Amino acid sequence: MDDGSDDDLVFIEEERHPQGPSAQDSSWRVLIVDDDRDVHEATEFALSGVEILGRKLELIHAFSGKEAIALLEREQDVAVVLLDVVMESDDAGLKTVEAIRQELMLLNIRIILRTGQPGQAPEADTIARYDINDYKTKSELTHARLFTTLTSAIRSYSQLKCLDASRLGLEKIVSASNQFIAEKGLNAFADGVITQLASLIGIAPEGLVCATSSEGAGDPEQYRVIAAAGRYQHLIQHRLEEIDNVHIARSLNQVLRNHYSVVGSRDITLFFRKNSTEGFAAYIESAAPIRDVDQHLLEIFCTNIALCAKNIDLVTELRLDALVDRQVGLPNRNALIAELDRRAHDGATSNVVALVDIDQFAATNDMLGHAYGDALLRAMAQRLRALFDSSVFVARLAGDAFALTGPAHLLEADSIQRLFAHPFLIDDIDHAVSVCLGIAACADSADSQDTLNNAYVALRRAKALGIGQSITFSPEIGEAARQRTSLLRDLRQAFEQRELSIVYQPQIDLQTGRIIGAEALMRWQRRNGQFVPPEQFIPIAEQSGLIVSIGRWMLPEALRTLKRFHQAGLDGLHMAVNVSSIQLRQPGFLDFVNASLAETDVAPNHLELEITESIALESLETMIALLNQLRSRGITIAIDDFGTGYSSLNYLEQLPIDHLKIDRSFVTSLASSERGSRIVRTIALLGNELDVRTVAEGVENQSTGDRLREFGCHAAQGYHYAHPMDETSFLDWMKEHA
Ligand code: C2E
Ligand code: CA
Ligand code: CA
């Protein structure tokens, strides 16, 4: 944006009145305080016609300390006080000094003490403490001495004033810069420049700001008035050449063309540089002569303001970024909230928010690449925008989630779902996409953020149900979400405080009747003794990701138990451990399993991992690779709850697995229905076909066990044989049933 040089900060001073800008209207004001009238007259006589540093003197008179203080309270800009020490009291003069410095807080004013006799002189530390400029006996103050004493006092007064102005100016520049950061757009900014500049110089804000345009930077035809204050207001947005005042037009033109500032006695035209070609100029005029402004301050002002101008461009961009999603060109979440607020404010009734979330976006993105993912998001954005009229506001939230808000009758779940019946054409290939929907009504009283949160709650419910689902928020759903949240909080605490434990359920070889292994199952017993069923807390642990930490504790723990089983003489047993797909997806999962085996000194072929069919919904290739790596170590893989998931037989054929666990629901129906029995037989046959062993779970009676054996099922577990037991009970049980 900028080439960094600031060589354009050249100030050109126009010719000035030789006496300086304000010779006649400013004289140095000198206050004479003495109770002796003769002293006043003598001083007046001695100083008549005298000029100091190019200015005349204006003498003011007071005849007591009290009067002097009253006077100084009213009068501005008194440079020097010639002060008698002994007046209404012996120390009236010193009291006056104290009041000037400490009560009136006049720190710049110079004080010269005069006494009748040398003995009345104040102590040295008093002189220092009150910053008394000089101390003279009256007889010492002859005409010549008075002149030199006053000159040095006035010089230091004027220097102090300048310092003051610089300090104030700097403060103003700093605060101006801060304000500019908050300005919206260049015009408001330029307005601010006039105000700030006028205040820096100490005149009324009246002036013009003219800017070059980025299109025709060097072309004066393109110079435009972007801010105008006071009597120039009518010129706003006019071209430079339309400014009726020739002097102003010429000054601005000159400054914009030459890239330097011009300081005149009644006006100032400053150049602010944005980059090597662009910039703008501010013209400020004052009816009264502009007092001697510190050139240095103006330079600082210009640099600072120019920097701010660059920031304005940046801020404008950022503001746009703040409201628009650049990737798909839709309004973003902030804009959605603003829109919801606006609609609520306008009293738009029966509006809803519908969140649209692409199913398995992350997995597809991994599989087909990010370019595909980006193209899909853009296609989604286009379709959503194109299919609704302007009464529906379409925004993109984070990631693969979009939001629609508008009248409820336009945003019904079914009608939105129908929009995704047709595939998306990406790179000339059709891609079928399904979405989950979460819908929430915009209640009159509700805050927009609450509405959006409700829609999110509904969306999460929908996603938990599977793909292509829609849920509309209701108070019951909200309550359930709150309960899940509090359950998760409790679970987290229970896990940290080691309140989770593991129980072990024996697995039986159906041919030999021998115990071949155990499945490790998690238990959560609350402090009050109540057990929370795994069906309740496991899904929450999975959704929140907490299952990863729990799993890191669980696997080595189960393996340590297995080691103790082996050491107790049960050396053929294997341990089956459930792992969720989210655990499998963790990048370090394989290393973690290896480390757990090494740490507990268990041979890999004694470990079985139970996974569910839903992992086939993940990137299949990655999953196959991982399973192959696990199996190559000797670990066995079982598909849990077989028959309840979504996967097709095609997936099953590709997955490298060792066991199929026939879901309990089928095993239960085996005894009660002919159909149930056919299903179980078919799964057992399928297992044989695929060359994997089948394990039946939930066997509750002898006859079911017998039927399973007839079907060629290999192993079984269930209450008929044993309930899940803690480690000690398991060992006792084994002793009895060996
Ligand atoms: P699952 O893996 O299918 O576990 C079998 C469930 O059936 C266990 O319930 C077990 O107690 C129960 N069961 C066993 N035999 C019988 C029977 O004869 N009749 C009946 N009615 N039920 C029987 P549990 O322990 O409540 O576990 C429920 C589910 O929680 C498990 O289903 C598994 O999906 C999950 N789970 C349990 N522990 C873990 C774990 O450590 N990690 C993970 N990821 N999931 C776990
Ligand atoms: Ca299991
Ligand atoms: Ca199961």
Side-chain angles (χ1 to χ4, degrees):
M1 230 197 319
D2 176 36
D3 58 13
S5 87
D6 53 5
D7 53 1
D8 51 311
L9 279 172
V10 175
F11 281 83
I12 302 287
E13 278 199 60
E14 286 188 328
E15 257 185 45
R16 288 197 167 179
H17 195 278
Q19 289 285 290
S22 44
Q24 85 278 16
D25 79 324
S26 62
S27 39
W28 303 116
R29 313 187 78 196
V30 177
L31 173 62
I32 300 161
V33 191
D34 206 306
D35 53 355
D36 184 348
R37 286 201 168 269
D38 293 346
V39 174
H40 285 267
E41 278 166 26
T43 312
E44 196 144 6
F45 177 72
L47 294 175
S48 70
V50 160
E51 273 192 15
I52 292 179
L53 303 178
R55 293 193 201 174
K56 294 201 179 96
L57 300 182
E58 180 192 339
L59 301 182
I60 315 168
H61 303 272
F63 297 88
S64 69
K66 262 211 177 90
E67 195 189 340
I69 288 162
L71 229 146
L72 285 170
E73 245 167 346
R74 303 193 299 269
E75 299 288 333
Q76 300 283 319
D77 217 20
V78 174
V80 183
V81 185
L82 285 167
L83 185 60
D84 188 16
V85 175
V86 182
M87 290 179 290
E88 59 262 50
S89 63
D90 276 358
D91 61 349
L94 288 179
K95 281 221 175 85
T96 309
V97 171
E98 192 178 316
I100 291 173
R101 293 292 189 233
Q102 291 185 338
E103 280 155 38
L104 301 179
M105 292 301 285
L106 296 171
L107 305 180
N108 294 339
I109 204 168
R110 299 294 84 201
I111 300 171
I112 300 167
L113 281 182
R114 299 200 285 188
T115 61
Q117 285 100 52
Q120 294 167 340
E123 302 294 329
D125 67 323
T126 310
I127 293 181
R129 178 147 50 103
Y130 294 126
D131 186 20
I132 294 167
N133 219 52
D134 214 338
Y135 164 76
K136 293 280 177 310
T137 58
K138 287 179 188 174
S139 55
E140 276 181 293
L141 285 175
T142 58
H143 175 88
R145 290 291 294 276
L146 188 59
F147 179 76
T148 45
T149 305
L150 265 182
T151 303
S152 79
I154 284 173
R155 180 173 289 125
S156 77
Y157 170 76
S158 132
Q159 279 164 353
L160 283 172
K161 285 276 285 187
C162 266
L163 277 178
D164 245 13
S166 300
R167 187 177 45 74
L168 268 177
L170 279 175
E171 275 167 15
K172 274 181 184 159
I173 290 170
V174 169
S175 89
S177 310
N178 289 339
Q179 255 172 32
F180 284 135
I181 308 274
E183 294 296 359
K184 297 187 176 74
L186 192 61
N187 288 12
F189 168 77
D191 251 345
V193 170
I194 298 177
T195 323
Q196 303 296 344
L197 180 57
S199 119
L200 180 71
I201 302 170
I203 58 176
E206 214 163 27
L208 285 169
V209 174
C210 227
T212 61
S213 80
S214 45
E215 295 94 59
D219 177 7
E221 299 249 305
Q222 303 284 346
Y223 297 166
R224 250 168 214 289
V225 177
I226 56 169
R231 75 192 114 113
Y232 304 111
Q233 227 148 32
H234 64 285
L235 288 171
I236 187 89
Q237 291 307 340
H238 282 260
R239 276 182 295 139
L240 177 64
E241 56 194 27
E242 290 165 350
I243 298 175
D244 36 18
N245 183 320
V246 185
H247 170 69
I248 297 177
R250 203 191 296 124
S251 303
L252 283 167
N253 197 353
Q254 179 193 353
V255 162
L256 282 173
R257 255 206 335 257
N258 301 333
H259 291 198
Y260 58 61
S261 300
V262 175
V263 179
S265 63
R266 285 180 188 264
D267 57 15
I268 288 181
T269 316
L270 295 181
F271 180 72
F272 302 87
R273 162 205 183 81
K274 263 176 79 182
N275 53 42
S276 54
T277 52
E278 280 177 82
F280 59 94
Y283 174 88
I284 296 262
E285 189 185 46
S286 167
I290 293 173
R291 73 169 160 73
D292 229 341
V293 276
D294 188 336
Q295 207 122 302
H296 199 63
L297 268 188
L298 282 182
E299 276 173 40
I300 298 175
F301 184 75
C302 286
T303 328
N304 240 280
I305 297 306
L307 266 175
C308 289
K310 281 173 210 153
N311 286 341
I312 292 290
D313 287 354
L314 213 66
V315 167
T316 313
E317 291 265 300
L318 287 177
R319 281 223 163 77
L320 205 61
D321 270 353
L323 292 175
V324 175
D325 184 292
R326 295 285 176 105
Q327 196 187 358
V328 303
L330 281 181
N332 64 11
R333 183 197 165 86
N334 292 343
L336 174 71
I337 300 261
E339 176 69 14
L340 286 172
D341 286 342
R342 199 184 61 72
R343 289 184 184 225
H345 183 261
D346 291 355
T349 49
S350 72
N351 262 356
V352 297
V353 174
L355 300 186
V356 182
D357 187 281
I358 305 175
D359 290 324
Q360 268 109 39
F361 180 75
T364 351
N365 215 15
D366 282 352
M367 208 141 64
L368 299 176
H370 287 261
Y372 166 80
D374 293 350
L376 175 59
L377 291 174
R378 278 193 300 274
M380 273 287 282
Q382 267 162 23
R383 185 175 291 189
L384 288 173
R385 187 58 280 168
L387 292 178
F388 292 101
D389 65 27
S390 60
S391 66
V392 173
F393 186 84
V394 182
R396 180 193 181 196
L397 304 178
D400 58 330
F402 293 82
L404 309 167
T405 184
H409 70 275
L410 291 179
L411 297 177
E412 279 162 7
D414 288 350
S415 60
I416 301 175
Q417 286 287 11
R418 269 199 296 279
L419 304 179
F420 300 96
H422 314 290
F424 285 85
L425 190 68
I426 292 163
D427 294 339
D428 292 329
I429 300 171
D430 276 343
H431 290 272
V433 165
S434 74
V435 298
C436 278
L437 296 180
I439 300 177
C442 306
D444 302 337
S445 53
D447 165 64
S448 299
Q449 188 62 57
D450 290 344
T451 308
L452 198 55
N453 285 346
N454 289 346
Y456 265 117
V457 167
L459 178 64
R460 270 197 293 277
R461 276 298 69 207
K463 286 172 69 165
L465 291 180
I467 60 171
Q469 301 291 319
S470 309
I471 292 283
T472 300
F473 181 84
S474 68
E476 294 74 44
I477 286 176
E479 179 51 32
R482 261 190 297 283
Q483 278 178 12
R484 275 196 307 278
T485 310
S486 90
L487 193 64
L488 174 61
R489 196 188 47 229
D490 292 356
L491 174 60
R492 200 163 258 143
Q493 199 177 26
F495 175 56
E496 278 161 14
Q497 299 178 354
R498 301 167 191 273
E499 284 166 29
L500 298 184
S501 60
I502 309 175
V503 289
Y504 304 91
Q505 185 175 38
Q507 294 182 328
I508 281 93
D509 184 317
L510 280 173
Q511 301 303 319
T512 63
R514 295 171 66 103
I515 313 300
I516 50 171
E519 178 179 3
L521 294 158
M522 192 110 56
R523 289 294 173 264
W524 173 15
Q525 187 170 22
R526 286 185 184 269
R527 290 251 165 106
N528 62 12
Q530 222 178 10
F531 279 99
V532 183
E535 276 94 347
Q536 267 179 35
F537 73 84
I538 296 286
I540 284 172
E542 287 175 340
Q543 280 160 32
S544 63
L546 185 58
I547 194 73
V548 174
S549 313
I550 294 179
R552 284 185 174 273
W553 158 77
M554 159 98 185
L555 177 65
E557 187 71 16
L559 290 175
R560 267 189 288 277
T561 305
L562 179 64
K563 188 71 193 173
R564 285 190 288 269
F565 288 170
H566 288 174
Q567 284 160 347
L570 312 166
D571 43 6
L573 294 193
H574 70 248
M575 184 65 77
V577 177
N578 296 283
V579 289
S580 315
S581 54
I582 169 164
Q583 289 172 272
L584 286 175
R585 261 188 274 143
Q586 293 298 305
F589 183 73
L590 186 69
D591 292 340
F592 160 67
V593 173
N594 285 334
S596 303
L597 287 167
E599 176 198 325
T600 54
D601 191 27
V602 170
N605 61 342
H606 286 126
L607 173 62
E608 176 160 312
L609 296 179
E610 297 193 2
I611 62 179
T612 59
E613 287 168 282
S614 67
I615 58 122
L617 293 172
E618 314 292 324
S619 162
L620 193 62
E621 262 144 61
T622 328
M623 206 39 72
I624 290 174
L626 174 65
L627 296 184
N628 276 330
Q629 278 173 304
L630 289 164
R631 290 183 77 222
S632 71
R633 301 236 33 224
I635 298 165
T636 45
I637 305 293
I639 291 279
D640 205 356
D641 303 338
F642 182 73
T644 60
Y646 319 104
S647 73
S648 68
L649 289 174
N650 171 40
Y651 279 146
L652 188 66
E653 218 220 310
Q654 292 182 54
L655 281 178
I657 54 165
D658 304 280
H659 297 160
L660 272 188
K661 290 191 83 174
I662 308 171
D663 190 65
R664 197 173 72 215
S665 58
F666 300 124
V667 176
T668 311
S669 67
L670 174 70
S672 56
S673 80
E674 190 45 41
R675 191 167 173 270
S677 135
R678 273 208 307 273
I679 291 176
V680 174
R681 192 168 45 206
T682 312
I683 297 176
L685 282 173
L686 178 73
N688 276 329
E689 277 301 305
L690 295 173
D691 204 19
V692 300
R693 290 163 63 90
T694 43
V695 184
E697 57 184 17
V699 179
E700 296 189 350
N701 52 57
Q702 182 67 49
S703 66
T704 305
D706 293 342
R707 298 283 300 281
L708 287 163
R709 193 173 53 239
E710 286 162 26
F711 292 159
C713 199
H714 300 91
Q717 66 186 94
Y719 295 168
H720 171 60
Y721 309 104
H723 282 258
M725 297 165 282
D726 64 24
E727 182 178 340
T728 326
S729 315
F730 187 95
L731 282 168
D732 293 346
W733 184 87
M734 283 298 287
K735 272 182 210 133
E736 270 173 53
H737 294 81

